[in-house]
Amino acid sequence: MSDDRHDDGSITTLLRAVKAGAKDAYGLLWAKIYDAARRIAHNRFRREPQGQVLQPTALVHEVYLELLGNEHLPTDNRTELWKLLTRVMSNYLCDEARRRLAVKHGGNLTRVELPDNVEAPGADLELVIAAHEVLERLESDHPRAASAYRLSELAGFKDVEVGHMLGVSERTVRNDLAFARALIGVARGGSNGREGTTR
Amino acid sequence: MDERAQRVRDLFDNAFGLPEEERTAYLRRECVHQQERAELQYLLQAADDPALSPRLRAAWTSVLDGGPAVESVRGYRLNRSIGAGAMGEVYLAELEDPTRSHRIAVKVLTRVGDHPRARERFRREVGNLAALQHDNVAKLLWVPGDDEPLYLPMEHIEGEHFGVSADRERSSIRSRISLMLRVCDGVAYFHSKGLFHLDLKPSNILVDGSGNPKVVDFGLAKLQTDDTGSQPVIASGGTSDYMSPEQLRGEPVAAETDVYALGVILYQLLTGQLPRDRSSTCSGGELTPPSLAVRRWGTEPEATARGYSSPRRLARNLEGDLDCIVLHAMDPDHSKRYGTVVEFARDLRDHLEQKPVRAHPRTLRYLAWKFVTANKVIVVPAMALIAFSLLFGAIKARDEQRVRAERDAAEAVAQYLEGLFRSADPSESRADTTTARDLLGMGVARLSELNKNQQLKARMEYTLAGVHMELGLYQQAETLLADSLALSRASGGDARSLLPAQVALARLKNRQGKYLEAENQLLQLLPILQVRGDAVLQAGAYRLLATAMMEQGRLADAERWYRTALELGSKKSPRDRAAVLNQLGLLYQKTDRFKESAESFLLALEAQRAALGPKHPDLAATLNNLGQLYFATGRLEEAEPRLSEARAIWSSTIGEEHPFFAELLMNEGLLKRAQNDPRSAETLFSQAVAIDTKRLGENHPSTAKALHNLATAYLQQKRYAEADASIERACRIYEATLGPAHPDLATAVVVAGASKLMQERYVEAEERYRRALAILEQSVGSTHTRIIPILTSLATISEERGDIPAAEEALRRASTISTAAYGPTSPRCADITERLGLLLGSNGRLREAVDSFAQALAVWESQKKQGEEFVSALLRLAAAYSALGDSSQADVFRARAIKTMHELNMSETDIQVTLADAETLVSMFRRRPKPIATRTPDR
């Protein structure tokens, strides 16, 4: 398989190639998305003086727009694209969290013992890293739940819409979300910073 | 999929769906091992945790908090945090190049937003800073580029906070002052380049190993502003000990603010204490001078620890010059402080050189002492001689006046009264109206003294009438004028002598709104004026005639007469010329010639300022008119200062009960309404109504206008009963004074309709709107743009009543008129097109709705700046596509909408609300629920 077969620049072509099983098409698409996320995030961080942050959902949608440009995406490719976008986003945010933790602790990642109910300074960042790892593990056993969570949390789709995209009922979506969150929660030992049993 | 994993999932799903009590039983039943049950219990516990979901959401968001992590800048790797400031954290950074070693401080601006405006400001402010260099200010090393994150690279200073070393080394007063002077030099240098620090404090001044002080964080205060203001936002969490009173109050800051801070720093440097009683300082209370402050020490060790011999001696050294310098720098009134750091430093230097210090009162004793200590010559100015001669002059003038008064009693009384009234004429002085009215009362009472001299009395009454008119007391003015005329006729006055009073009467009629009467009267006078009258009087009469015509709507005629008046009177009286220009300005505005209107007003202002000075009521009148012109043409920011200036002048001259003041109040009210402050607008309009009703009566168009505006203010606050009452009254007056086919009446009727609409009384609303439509069609024609809002309102009403064809017809008609008048790319057309789209979409005609929305979107896209209407247009189009089933297209438009909302810095809550609203549109367009697909879950 030569590159030019699936790199005519169009997302639709790339997605088709991925569906057909082309591994390098997948890698190419992944790289495109990751690169776009990184670039847009670096160029367009915006923050209200009152303390607002660039939301992941906003970033995802900007990446979506940039990728597609003027291209019209056929509806049957839509879900695949969003699933991939949100997966890459999860990855990017995890990487970013790792980078920040490194700077905060001066390159030292060892955790500090804290009494109960005291927030470690990097607690949120560690939660994101844990969440991403859980979601990646989920890809093998419960890929739909992982997708549902990412579509909901990172792209802001409502339960109804997620159901449409994944072809299940709203109730199933809610169960998926609850399951994914529960797994993340267990991985972090609930809402206090103690290590819990993981799977 | 793994068998086990599926099992866990199924168990979870089932248990999750069960109520709490049944879960335990279910798990005990279904789970094979203890371990499995425990695992599920952990999962369920986590799923039930209400804090988990929000925490996760917050966590994902927090990753991007404050911009991307800054790890290194231009080859300097950020190593460790050395402090946190208001704007972000400061890190120590070292060159990554192993062959060279250099350390710098990097301040990462995490709390300053990184959007285009902030970037621009950053570039500007930091650019100014980077070019400057001074030994006593920490240097900004370079300006980060646009592609870099927001940070500040500064020279790293290893040193102690200001004052610490002085105490440790037990420095003398002299050396402390020298240290202070170096800091002042640095600050002064930056001031000379226009940069203020605004956050000076000992922790911002570091003294390095060689004893050199350096100020850090200069000029950064401006980076903390929010987008709207131009004043620095005071950093919370920082010490306010060094902030000046005006800074704490949030008032504008300048060089004196830094002077204040330096004063406090000096105080602390000399006494080791912070000035006490901060609160009383702010309200102008007593501040303990440094010399007294050190007396508090009491014990020797405190003083010697700082290097002083004893507290008493220290106090003596601080008394006098240094006390004065410090207190002068710290004066709560910033206008009393040293104006610049240079002056502050000069006094300090002068003190060191034994010269007199400007902060110290220049008593003979002080100067003498300085003379003794510094051996210089003192000069005493001779003021007394000058004062004496002035006094002498005043006595002489009064003598002459007294002599003259004795000559002719009657003449003198008249002159005296006239003089009195001239001083009472609010345009001649700033006497407040109460005093003027007192004089008036006195004047009227004294008239009886003049009964013997009819002509004199007539003249007096004429003068008094004029004053009454200026004060807005029109009833009394009318009586006096009538009497004056009667007296003049009775005493055999010729036609010419009657003219001034007759013209004055016409003027009064104009003021009272009796325009037709005024016109007739003036037309009758014209022949006499042209033959017998002087040019000024003639010009005045022409002007009044023109005004009467203008107010009756005959604008072409009015313009001709104004021009004649202008030609005739321009050389003689600048005041009259300005009055004509003023009126022309109003005329031009009525005929939509806004540029000429503004020009006229500005010319009038110029003439008035030159001839009458800055506080003349005539000036205020022109300012008022200019203000309302700016408002009418949408230039709100320019309107406000003009109206304020007019208010200031009129308030202290003609008073706040004058009909002119009512006009001003109306304009101010309109401004407030435009600024979405209906409560203030209401107050202003009510005041105007009160004045108008009292001074002009029930049948004056101005009263109607005021009531009309009041009604809209009530409507904005949803006070329907009051709104209805006001607007009905207004309509009655309009009809009585302007006739049944006047556009102003139509506008009032529309307000009445709007009120009913807001109360959802559709039948009554429609009735009124149709009436307004009929009036307008009759007066301005059926293709005039003024009809558009009425048509759209009628469309709304029809839609509410279910008459879709009527609604569509109205909207299409509105669209036609709008396109013809404004062009197809005007936002006004887009609004109507969108309304049409909504109507079509809600009634199953989705394709047509898409077309309409797309048309409207095209208009918004062609605008220079994309705002909220653009977002709405995108979302509407997305909703229509969604309803049609084309989710891909819907996605694209929705994504663009989300992107734009973020570019507009809308808050997350607002974004969610907007998206939710769009969702409801979708269901509205869909009408029937989509069947939910059920498929087997994938493996």
Side-chain angles (χ1 to χ4, degrees):
Chain A
M1 281 190 247
S2 58
D3 270 336
D4 46 27
R5 255 229 289 161
H6 42 247
D7 193 14
D8 62 357
S10 102
I11 301 298
T12 317
T13 321
L14 274 173
L15 280 171
R16 288 219 183 93
V18 168
K19 241 189 200 163
K23 272 257 156 68
D24 41 344
Y26 188 78
L28 198 61
L29 192 48
W30 181 286
K32 261 190 196 280
I33 298 172
Y34 193 99
D35 183 61
R38 193 161 201 277
R39 198 175 358 98
I40 293 174
H42 270 253
N43 289 340
R44 305 276 291 275
F45 277 106
R46 50 191 61 86
R47 186 172 184 173
E48 292 275 308
Q50 287 89 328
Q52 274 235 267
V53 190
L54 177 66
Q55 300 284 340
T57 46
L59 187 52
V60 161
H61 278 91
E62 291 229 24
V63 174
Y64 175 83
L65 280 176
E66 194 189 275
L67 278 182
L68 280 184
N70 283 327
E71 191 184 330
H72 186 283
L73 190 73
T75 321
D76 48 328
N77 282 338
R78 184 192 171 224
T79 308
E80 284 314 305
L81 183 55
W82 281 109
K83 279 161 82 172
L84 188 54
L85 269 173
T86 48
R87 193 165 172 197
V88 176
M89 185 60 49
S90 177
N91 190 324
Y92 167 69
L93 290 173
C94 177
D95 286 349
E96 187 64 22
R98 287 206 175 99
R99 275 193 281 271
R100 280 158 192 257
L101 265 184
V103 176
K104 260 196 201 310
H105 295 160
N108 191 357
L109 276 174
T110 49
R111 297 250 307 282
V112 173
E113 270 307 310
L114 291 167
D116 281 359
N117 299 331
V118 176
E119 277 284 310
D124 271 359
L125 296 173
E126 294 185 2
L127 182 54
V128 166
I129 296 170
H132 176 72
E133 285 169 1
V134 165
L135 289 170
E136 285 300 301
R137 283 201 292 272
L138 222 47
E139 278 294 324
S140 46
D141 291 335
H142 307 280
R144 193 195 66 220
S147 296
Y149 178 78
R150 285 192 288 248
L151 286 171
S152 171
E153 185 81 73
L154 298 179
F157 284 112
K158 305 275 183 286
D159 292 356
V160 169
E161 190 61 38
V162 174
H164 283 158
M165 291 168 87
L166 298 177
V168 291
S169 72
E170 217 177 310
R171 174 130 185 263
T172 314
V173 171
R174 280 201 291 273
N175 281 347
D176 274 352
L177 296 180
F179 187 62
R181 283 197 191 106
L183 282 169
I184 298 174
V186 166
R188 284 292 293 165
S191 47
N192 38 24
R194 274 183 274 121
E195 282 284 314
T197 51
T198 52
R199 210 87 324 260
Chain B
M1 185 189 296
D2 187 32
E3 283 281 336
R4 225 196 140 280
Q6 183 58 40
R7 187 174 152 70
V8 170
R9 179 63 205 267
D10 287 337
L11 285 171
F12 176 84
D13 278 354
N14 293 334
F16 187 60
L18 291 174
E20 187 90 33
E21 319 82 61
E22 295 175 41
R23 272 186 201 166
T24 337
Y26 173 78
L27 286 178
R28 212 176 297 142
R29 251 193 345 261
E30 298 292 323
C31 292
V32 179
H33 310 293
Q34 161 81 332
Q35 204 181 5
E36 194 176 55
R37 195 165 76 221
E39 187 183 339
L40 271 148
Q41 267 166 342
Y42 277 129
L43 279 174
L44 288 162
Q45 201 177 15
D48 280 340
D49 183 357
L52 179 57
S53 191
R55 258 206 85 208
L56 270 174
R57 178 152 307 141
W60 286 110
T61 307
S62 76
V63 179
L64 302 178
D65 195 344
V70 179
E71 295 163 291
S72 79
V73 295
R74 299 204 191 178
Y76 288 86
R77 169 150 225 93
L78 272 61
N79 270 343
R80 60 181 176 85
S81 175
I82 53 177
M87 281 187 285
E89 286 179 41
V90 187
Y91 296 88
L92 186 61
E94 283 208 46
L95 263 186
E96 286 174 300
D97 184 349
T99 60
R100 300 151 61 204
S101 150
H102 188 220
R103 293 164 128 198
I104 65 172
V106 175
K107 189 173 217 169
V108 183
L109 303 177
T110 43
R111 278 187 208 92
V112 176
D114 186 359
H115 38 84
R117 261 174 310 187
R119 267 283 167 181
E120 204 186 290
R121 198 190 317 134
F122 180 78
R123 251 181 282 140
R124 203 174 48 226
E125 302 298 335
V126 178
N128 290 339
L129 281 173
L132 305 180
Q133 177 152 348
H134 193 281
D135 285 339
N136 298 112
V137 180
K139 180 151 179 57
L140 180 73
L141 297 170
W142 67 80
V143 182
D146 283 340
D147 52 335
E148 294 178 85
L150 281 177
Y151 68 92
L152 292 166
M154 303 183 293
E155 96 179 76
H156 173 64
I157 302 161
E158 297 259 16
E160 297 169 308
H161 288 179
F162 194 68
V164 170
S165 55
D167 282 347
R168 200 190 50 238
E169 291 166 21
R170 305 184 183 190
S171 315
S172 63
I173 294 184
R174 277 200 87 84
S175 46
R176 285 170 197 254
I177 294 178
S178 301
L179 203 64
M180 190 75 210
L181 278 170
R182 282 201 266 179
V183 173
C184 291
D185 284 347
V187 176
Y189 169 69
F190 271 64
H191 278 201
S192 71
K193 304 289 179 182
L195 281 162
F196 306 130
H197 190 292
L198 304 172
D199 194 18
L200 284 169
K201 48 192 175 189
S203 54
N204 267 343
I205 308 173
L206 301 174
V207 182
D208 67 15
S210 58
N212 190 36
K214 286 199 183 222
V215 179
V216 304
D217 280 359
F218 219 113
L220 300 186
K222 281 220 201 130
L223 285 176
Q224 281 176 264
T225 46
D226 57 40
D227 284 331
T228 54
S230 55
Q231 290 144 26
V233 173
I234 295 173
S236 52
T239 179
S240 67
D241 290 327
Y242 304 89
M243 287 188 190
S244 62
E246 69 270 13
Q247 211 175 0
L248 288 173
R249 286 194 296 262
E251 286 165 19
V253 291
E256 307 94 48
T257 313
D258 278 347
V259 168
Y260 184 94
L262 287 171
V264 181
I265 295 173
L266 181 59
Y267 190 110
Q268 200 176 6
L269 187 65
L270 294 171
T271 66
Q273 306 163 39
L274 278 170
R276 303 269 180 90
D277 300 327
R278 276 277 324 199
S279 51
S280 54
T281 313
C282 289
S283 54
E286 284 303 304
L287 178 61
T288 316
S291 54
L292 286 180
V294 299
R295 281 190 211 273
R296 281 210 190 95
W297 282 341
T299 58
E300 298 261 336
E302 285 251 28
T304 47
R306 284 188 173 76
Y308 303 127
S309 40
S310 77
R312 260 202 307 275
R313 194 173 310 174
L314 174 61
R316 262 211 307 279
N317 284 333
L318 293 176
E319 253 170 28
D321 279 358
L322 287 170
D323 267 356
C324 289
I325 294 175
V326 168
L327 293 177
H328 197 59
M330 286 180 61
D331 199 313
D333 183 349
H334 60 88
S335 59
K336 295 211 184 101
R337 274 174 229 156
Y338 292 107
T340 61
V341 175
V342 171
E343 290 166 41
F344 176 64
R346 185 177 53 192
D347 263 8
L348 283 172
R349 284 205 171 87
D350 281 350
H351 171 74
L352 287 180
E353 292 169 31
Q354 315 285 13
K355 292 194 204 149
V357 158
R358 271 157 197 78
H360 197 292
R362 296 177 94 73
T363 59
L364 204 55
R365 190 164 157 249
Y366 174 71
L367 295 173
W369 169 57
K370 284 288 180 180
F371 170 64
V372 163
T373 43
N375 235 332
K376 293 228 166 78
V377 180
I378 302 158
V379 174
V380 176
M383 294 294 299
L385 203 59
I386 300 168
F388 179 68
S389 52
L390 278 175
L391 192 61
F392 182 72
I395 296 169
K396 208 159 170 277
R398 233 185 293 141
D399 262 332
E400 284 181 8
Q401 207 175 31
R402 225 183 287 137
V403 166
R404 215 165 42 141
E406 279 165 18
R407 240 171 242 154
D408 187 356
E411 184 77 26
V413 166
Q415 276 180 346
Y416 177 65
L417 281 174
E418 268 194 72
L420 250 177
F421 296 138
R422 208 171 295 123
S423 70
D425 177 356
S427 49
E428 288 280 327
S429 73
R430 270 182 280 149
D432 74 271
T433 46
T434 331
T435 319
R437 289 175 91 174
D438 286 344
L439 286 170
L440 273 180
M442 221 167 58
V444 172
R446 281 207 138 131
L447 278 174
S448 51
E449 282 177 30
L450 301 169
N451 268 338
K452 305 211 186 83
N453 192 336
Q454 300 262 323
Q455 276 179 331
L456 195 56
K457 189 176 176 194
R459 192 168 130 216
M460 239 341 66
E461 282 178 325
Y462 168 70
T463 315
L464 279 169
V467 180
H468 278 91
M469 221 191 311
E470 289 306 319
L471 290 173
L473 304 162
Y474 297 142
Q475 299 285 44
Q476 297 90 320
E478 188 165 7
T479 317
L480 282 163
L481 271 177
D483 207 48
S484 173
L485 275 168
L487 274 178
S488 290
R489 285 201 188 94
S491 60
D494 66 341
R496 192 172 166 197
S497 67
L498 294 173
L499 280 175
Q502 283 169 319
V503 172
L505 197 55
R507 193 157 138 241
L508 182 64
K509 297 277 176 203
N510 264 350
R511 294 277 183 92
Q512 292 172 313
K514 300 175 181 168
Y515 301 119
L516 194 53
E517 276 183 51
E519 183 184 345
N520 290 335
Q521 188 153 352
L522 285 162
L523 286 171
Q524 275 184 331
L525 292 175
L526 275 186
I528 314 171
L529 272 169
Q530 279 154 355
V531 172
R532 304 282 189 79
D534 66 75
V536 174
L537 193 61
Q538 222 181 324
Y542 291 168
R543 191 186 82 229
L544 291 168
L545 183 57
T547 307
M549 289 174 172
M550 178 171 83
E551 293 298 332
Q552 292 176 78
R554 287 147 53 197
L555 302 177
D557 290 335
E559 189 170 350
R560 256 183 294 121
W561 282 107
Y562 279 133
R563 288 209 179 283
T564 317
L566 205 56
E567 279 159 28
L568 200 52
S570 37
K571 303 124 211 157
K572 297 285 179 81
S573 169
R575 186 175 174 178
D576 285 344
R577 178 163 178 269
V580 179
L581 284 167
N582 195 356
Q583 292 296 111
L584 269 175
L586 290 170
L587 184 106
Y588 288 137
Q589 194 181 346
K590 281 188 199 279
T591 50
D592 285 358
R593 285 137 81 186
F594 300 122
K595 191 159 160 278
E596 285 108 319
S597 178
E599 274 164 14
S600 255
F601 287 135
L602 289 167
L603 278 171
L605 275 176
E606 218 180 279
Q608 283 165 336
R609 273 194 227 273
L612 306 167
K615 303 267 186 206
H616 201 279
D618 283 7
L619 192 67
T622 316
L623 284 166
N624 174 51
N625 293 340
L626 188 54
Q628 64 81 33
L629 172 70
Y630 283 144
F631 173 77
T633 49
R635 292 153 75 174
L636 271 64
E637 326 76 40
E638 290 173 89
E640 196 155 11
R642 302 305 188 304
L643 293 175
S644 300
E645 202 184 332
R647 176 186 265 265
I649 298 174
W650 270 346
S651 212
S652 59
T653 52
I654 65 178
E656 299 194 3
E657 293 232 311
H658 197 286
F660 290 178
F661 201 78
E663 289 287 318
L664 176 69
L665 287 169
M666 290 245 284
N667 290 331
E668 287 183 327
L670 289 170
L671 199 59
K672 284 287 168 207
R673 209 176 69 193
Q675 294 168 334
N676 281 318
D677 185 0
R679 277 226 80 103
S680 304
E682 180 204 328
T683 317
L684 290 160
F685 291 140
S686 297
Q687 246 182 297
V689 171
I691 299 173
D692 282 342
T693 322
K694 186 167 162 199
R695 295 297 189 82
L696 303 173
E698 267 294 320
N699 271 341
H700 197 290
S702 292
T703 318
K705 230 169 49 170
L707 283 164
H708 177 161
N709 286 322
L710 184 58
T712 52
Y714 281 135
L715 265 188
Q716 256 183 303
Q717 298 172 74
K718 301 204 202 308
R719 288 156 67 178
Y720 301 123
E722 286 126 311
D724 284 343
S726 300
I727 198 65
E728 297 297 334
R729 218 174 125 199
C731 287
R732 277 201 302 276
I733 302 176
Y734 275 136
E735 228 179 326
T737 55
L738 300 172
H742 199 282
D744 286 354
L745 175 62
T747 322
V749 173
V750 165
V751 173
S755 178
K756 296 295 175 193
L757 191 60
M758 284 167 77
Q759 297 172 66
E760 291 180 13
R761 288 152 76 160
Y762 297 117
V763 177
E764 290 171 88
E766 185 168 355
E767 196 183 296
R768 283 156 178 76
Y769 277 107
R770 290 214 180 276
R771 183 181 171 205
L773 186 62
I775 296 175
L776 277 180
E777 280 173 333
Q778 202 185 337
S779 55
V780 299
S782 48
T783 50
H784 198 283
T785 52
R786 282 180 77 162
I787 295 191
I788 295 176
I790 301 184
L791 286 169
T792 48
S793 306
L794 278 169
T796 311
I797 300 171
S798 298
E799 202 180 342
E800 281 304 316
R801 298 174 65 196
D803 189 355
I804 308 298
E808 190 180 341
E809 188 202 318
L811 282 176
R812 287 205 188 275
R813 189 175 163 203
S815 185
T816 316
I817 301 177
S818 174
T819 317
Y822 302 123
T825 52
S826 160
R828 282 191 247 224
C829 294
D831 278 333
I832 302 175
T833 318
E834 293 214 330
R835 286 284 313 270
L836 193 54
L838 283 168
L839 181 70
L840 294 166
S842 326
N843 288 286
R845 291 152 71 177
L846 287 169
R847 283 258 158 241
E848 289 173 87
V850 166
D851 288 338
S852 278
F853 289 138
Q855 209 182 328
L857 185 64
V859 170
W860 295 120
E861 270 172 329
S862 67
Q863 300 297 308
K864 259 187 283 190
K865 279 178 76 175
Q866 317 304 45
E868 295 196 7
E869 308 92 355
F870 182 59
V871 171
S872 302
L874 285 165
L875 286 173
R876 286 188 183 128
L877 196 45
Y881 272 122
S882 214
L884 268 177
D886 191 348
S887 347
S888 233
Q889 275 292 78
D891 272 346
V892 174
F893 288 109
R894 192 162 163 273
R896 283 177 71 187
I898 294 178
K899 175 181 168 168
T900 313
M901 283 194 278
H902 280 94
E903 279 167 8
L904 292 173
N905 290 312
M906 279 173 67
S907 75
E908 196 53 34
T909 342
D910 285 344
I911 294 178
Q912 289 307 323
V913 167
T914 315
L915 287 174
D917 285 345
E919 286 300 308
T920 54
L921 259 187
V922 175
S923 24
M924 201 169 81
F925 289 166
R926 274 192 187 145
R927 280 282 165 108
R928 47 185 174 79
K930 223 174 151 198
I932 297 172
T934 37
R935 277 188 254 158
T936 53
D938 44 299
R939 293 234 144 226

